[in-house]
């Protein structure tokens, strides 16, 4: 994790620790919109807080899913409103602030074109693409019911796995980051 992201992660963890479930919702929504906030740290930390008796498993996972879905809906709406060159122009100017490039968008579009609607489900477990895939879904005006169904299912799987990894690792929840980094490198 770069030096730039360390304060962002610390802020996210402090927010979750101090605010509770609403903190998870906010951070996971932001994680979808601003991919450098890693769900791979947020949800295992929530799992650790479950082992400390601060959260319950069902509510922590539900808060993570809710936040992710809120963020996905915002990006879906963004894709529906800013189609084609308008979005590319926007990303060229401002994408660097969210660590999202036009190449990331191209990759997400490629997945969407290759796998169709199922790309929304599959992409929910692929770093960076899990956020960006909502944009091409908005481009093509994918039905909102199908988008939500696939997003909720994929996000629930990812959020549950990450939360349980934090529960299993307990006090060593921070160890999940390096493990998932290897997974991310293979995927990317």
């Amino acid at each position: 994790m770069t030096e730039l992201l360390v304060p962002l992660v610390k802020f996210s963890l402090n927010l979750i620790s101090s605010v509770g479930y609403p903190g998870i919702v906010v951070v996971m929504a932001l994680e979808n919109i601003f991919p450098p906030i890693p769900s791979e740290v947020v949800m295992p930390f929530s799992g650790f807080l479950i082992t400390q008796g601060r959260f319950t498993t069902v509510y922590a996972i539900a808060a993570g899913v809710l936040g992710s879905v809120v963020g996905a809906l915002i990006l879906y709406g963004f894709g529906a409103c800013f189609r084609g060159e308008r979005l590319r122009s926007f990303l060229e100017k401002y994408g660097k602030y969210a660590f999202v490039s036009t190449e990331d968008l191209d990759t997400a579009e490629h997945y969407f074109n290759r796998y169709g609607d199922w790309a929304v489900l599959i992409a929910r477990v692929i770093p960076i693409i899990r956020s960006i895939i909502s944009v091409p879904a908005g481009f093509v005006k994918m039905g909102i019911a199908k988008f939500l169904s696939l997003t909720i299912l994929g996000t629930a799987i990812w959020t549950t796995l990450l939360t349980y990894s934090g529960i299993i690792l307990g006090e060593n929840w921070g160890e999940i980051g390096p493990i998932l980094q290897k997974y991310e490198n293979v995927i990317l």
Side-chain angles (χ1 to χ4, degrees):
M1 186 175 338
T2 66
E3 294 297 319
L4 177 67
L5 299 179
V6 171
L8 187 58
V9 169
K10 285 183 180 178
F11 168 79
S12 298
L13 299 182
N14 286 335
L15 182 67
I16 291 168
S17 186
S18 62
V19 178
Y21 299 118
I24 296 173
V25 173
V26 168
V27 170
M28 290 300 285
L30 290 174
E31 182 265 341
N32 259 268
I33 298 165
F34 190 69
I37 299 173
S39 61
E40 298 88 350
V41 173
V42 171
M43 292 314 301
F45 179 67
S46 299
F48 164 69
L49 292 176
I50 291 167
T51 68
Q52 302 297 300
R54 305 246 334 258
F55 291 153
T56 65
T57 305
V58 171
Y59 289 150
I61 292 170
V65 171
L66 177 61
S68 292
V69 170
V70 167
L73 282 170
I74 291 169
L75 289 177
Y76 175 93
F78 194 77
C81 292
F82 295 94
R83 299 167 66 132
E85 286 308 310
R86 285 180 65 196
L87 179 60
R88 292 190 185 291
S89 176
F90 179 84
L91 285 177
E92 287 171 4
K93 290 179 186 173
Y94 304 108
K96 63 186 171 197
Y97 300 112
F99 297 92
V100 178
S101 66
T102 54
E103 290 80 20
D104 295 329
L105 179 63
D106 291 340
T107 302
E109 284 183 284
H110 169 75
Y111 275 101
F112 197 84
N113 291 333
R114 183 169 181 194
Y115 299 107
D117 295 347
W118 292 102
V120 173
L121 174 67
I122 296 164
R124 296 296 170 200
V125 297
I126 301 174
I128 299 192
I129 304 304
R130 87 172 135 258
S131 297
I132 303 297
I133 199 67
S134 300
V135 176
F139 274 177
V140 300
K141 305 254 185 200
M142 178 183 189
I144 194 71
K146 185 177 246 184
F147 175 77
L148 281 173
S149 298
L150 295 171
T151 295
I152 290 168
L153 179 59
T155 298
I157 292 167
W158 183 245
T159 302
T160 300
L161 289 172
L162 291 177
T163 303
Y164 274 103
S165 71
I167 292 170
I168 292 167
L169 292 170
E171 299 264 346
N172 299 315
W173 67 271
E175 297 301 314
I176 193 68
I179 294 167
L180 287 172
Q181 184 66 43
K182 291 176 186 173
Y183 158 77
E184 289 177 356
N185 289 340
V186 168
I187 294 295
L188 292 173

